[in-house]
Structures are given as structure tokens and as C-alpha cells.
Amino acid sequence: MYPQKGTVQTGSDADITIVDMDQKWKIDKQKLHSKSKVTAYDEKEITGKPVATIVNGVTVMENGEIVEELQGKPVLVK
């Protein structure tokens, strides 16, 4: 997938998750933004919370809320 994914450089997809490494929070499977709500980490208290996600240069999640339609697309791996 490199160099399309996994690097921040001209020509690569702008897919980035920003994590506040000092923020403590408890995982709630009902609030996960996933098709599957199955997780071994439900109700686990952790440090380090995703605060924003940028996909294809568009901010799609801020402070735990979806703010824009999904921008992702499948990547073919050769």
C-alpha cells in the first residue's frame, strides 16, 4: 500500500487519526463507530483518546462525533 498509505507526503492519501495521549476515557461498545459492536475492551478505562479522524483530506470525526460522510474507499493490495 506504500506510498499511497502509511506516509504523510505529496501524492499520498491524507488519512490521519489524531489522538490525545493524555485523555482518559472508558470504552463504550454502543458508541463505537463500527458496523460491529463486538469488542473485548467494552467498559475498559484507557488513556489516549482519538479526537479527530481525517480521511482523504476531509475531517470525518471530531470529539467522538461523525461530522462528515465517510470518505474511505477500498485499497487493492497487489
Side-chain angles (χ1 to χ4, degrees), residues 10-50:
T10 302
S12 295
D13 292 347
D15 298 344
I16 300 170
T17 297
I18 300 168
V19 179
D20 179 342
M21 296 303 290
D22 295 321
Q23 193 169 2
K24 294 182 182 195
W25 64 295
K26 187 182 282 190
I27 295 174
D28 179 349
K29 68 181 178 183
Q30 298 304 318
K31 293 183 181 179
L32 295 178
H33 299 292
S34 173
K35 290 180 182 178
S36 173
K37 300 300 180 193
V38 176
T39 177
Y41 301 102
D42 188 39
E43 298 192 21
K44 182 172 175 73
E45 193 164 313
I46 63 170
T47 302
K49 184 175 183 179

Side-chain angles (χ1 to χ4, degrees), residues 1 4-5 13 15 35 55-56 71-77:
M1 293 190 295
Q4 182 181 353
K5 303 282 186 190
D13 292 347
D15 298 344
K35 290 180 182 178
V55 179
N56 291 330
Q71 302 291 316
K73 57 188 173 210
V75 176
L76 299 175
V77 179

